[in-house]
Amino acid sequence: MPAVTLIEAVTMALAYELEHDSNVVLLGEDIGVNGGVFRATAGLQQRFGKDRVIDTPLAESMIAGLSVGMSTQGMKPVAEIQFLGFIFSALDQLFTQAARMRNRTRGRLSCPMVVRAPYGGGIHAPEHHSESTEALYAHIPGLKVVIPSNPSRAYGLLLAAIRDPDPVIFLEPKRVYRLVKHEVEDNGEAYPLETCFVDREGTDITLISWGAMMHETLQAADELAKEGISAEVIDVATVAPLDVQTLVESVAKTGRALIVQEAPKSGAIGSEIAAELSEKAIMHLLAPIGRVSGYDTVMPYYKLEKKYMPSVQRIVSKAKELMEYV
Amino acid sequence: MTQPITEDTVLKTVAKFEVKYLQYLDEDGKPLGKKLPSFAKDTELLRKLYTDMARVRAFDAKAYALQRTGKLGTYPASLGQEAIGVGYGSVMRKEDVLVPYYRSTAGLMQHGVTMAEILTYWGGDERGSDFKYAREDLPIAVPIATQCLNAAGVATAFKLRGQARVAVTEIGEGGTSKGDFYEAINVAGVWRLPVLFVVNNNQWAISVPSEIQTAAETYAQKAIAAGIHCLQVDGNDILAVREAAEQALERARRGEGATLLECISYRLCDHTTADDASRYRTEEEVKQGWRREPMRRLRKYLESLNAWSDADEETMNKTIAEEVEAAVQEYLSMPAPKATDMLDYLYAELPEKLREQRDELARGE
Ligand SMILES: Cc1ncc(C[n+]2csc(CCOP(=O)(O)OP(=O)(O)O)c2C)c(N)n1
């Protein structure tokens, strides 16, 4: 089994599906000869040809709108938006067409398409390259929003996203693209969507996160362990629709919940998780539900981005604060 | 002081363009030249085209009446623009895909969508988009111009699969101001996509006239920048619309790429049942519009061929009235949709998270 980075796992999954399903086509800006600006599609055009790995004109709404049309024909377009910060002109197509196609035609047509985009901060990128806007898409009924946190999850979840009969927004935490390596077998096995992963079992507090923040969250759990606090760590992975049950079960066991997210605090996935837990697990709670979050502001340019993003330290101290409730 | 940059010094012309205009019949149905399209002698076909325009007109009138009596939601009629949808729709094949906008009633009906389905849709019921015949046609697009890109996507699928099929889409002239329209014609040009863009130029985008929409002389010429074929046609002359659309479809099927047809017409009705066009248009302008409308024109031509009579008109009207009435009855007698439908069709499978909400709907809370 090769040890691969998250970006290599993405390439592996794309290649696997291109190989095994002739309906799958990739499209986007610079994804052909160049293999994408992060090289997610490196080598794929050479291997599968220009009709399967398509360089498009530079127009994001077009990439999304074209994918809608193609997917109504039973093709499975996997579109790359070069950076998530440039998806906004495509939202019209995603929200008004892709998300609703199945519902409005009572199941006659659907959009089995995937939109992939690198997102999140931490790599000293220019303006508009570092935001975490996952809650925007999660708010739209009919879309699924999937965020892998590590290489094996990127492989398994991307396969699932491409095979899913509904439109999926697949957000790749670019800070993690080359951060870690995992042994990933290229066996075509998908992971389930809509299922949280319990990455570490614990009894005192549940730490809930997704995407790049999983790395700080897991480190925080290590730190907490040193102080005798047993943290359960959950990777939400599919932020919409949420697997509420796994979260509730964990909190029922630990009695405490701390949500860690890079996105701005208000109106976010963290807010939704907190609301679900307060509806379904309040009787188990020994402390208020905690959130360690980005701030409700414009993602700062990179001189301040470290100050913006939740750190291991912030997570640990918030967790300890929650532990003080008896 | 700057000096004018002139031809004789440094300038040379690198490209020149022109836009052609197609019209066969004048406003009184008289042929403008000797050369009519071959089908112009096929009186059976012409009678059908005339009847199909009448069907759309009668359907629209009924839809208006239903809206006024609270039995239908907001409805956009096509009064005076029937030749456009009947024209392009009459040359589409079943396997072609129509990507309609909200004013494509005529095109939808030509492509086999039933009157009852159209009423169901405007009656606020998603089942109206579950077309029984044209299963691959996209549902009506309400956001302006999104349909152009979706049509380009459908055409991309045809092209990648090597199918001789065409995607046809329609858009108002106001809609051509939007990015999605430009993005669609651009990619259709670059990839030589089998797609026909029909611009329904009815002069008005709600209350905004053409002068506010574009500084270009024609809407057709927008195709020139995209490198695709274009033609401006008299959209009230069904011979012109049909012929131009047929040639565009043939060209697309031969792999020669996309076409933009600007069909010049005039909206004789309000924008929708929620609009009052008298606030922004003069009576005189509307009166002028009536002189050019497509049905009168084709009828005069048919009469000149001795292919239409008052008796034909009477029979036709009676048949159509019955057809419309039957559709209305079908629509009105549909059982109400189930509340749970709103969740059951959202995803292929109901996500666990929505089960509670579905149960709540099922309990009728
Ligand atoms: C994106 C978007 N903006 C605004 C509207 C509201 N709206 C509906 S129809 C219309 C005018 C469209 O005019 P035109 O494109 O010329 O088409 P017509 O209705 O005249 O056929 C507007 C502004 C809309 N449906 N979608």
Side-chain angles (χ1 to χ4, degrees), chain A residues 92, chain B residues 81 101-103 142-144 171-176 178 200 202 204-206 267 271:
Chain A
D92 184 7
Chain B
Q81 304 146 76
Y101 83 134
Y102 52 81
R103 208 183 299 283
V142 170
I144 306 284
I171 182 170
E173 85 288 346
T176 69
K178 281 212 43 156
N200 179 333
N202 62 19
W204 291 89
I206 310 188
R267 168 160 65 74
H271 169 73

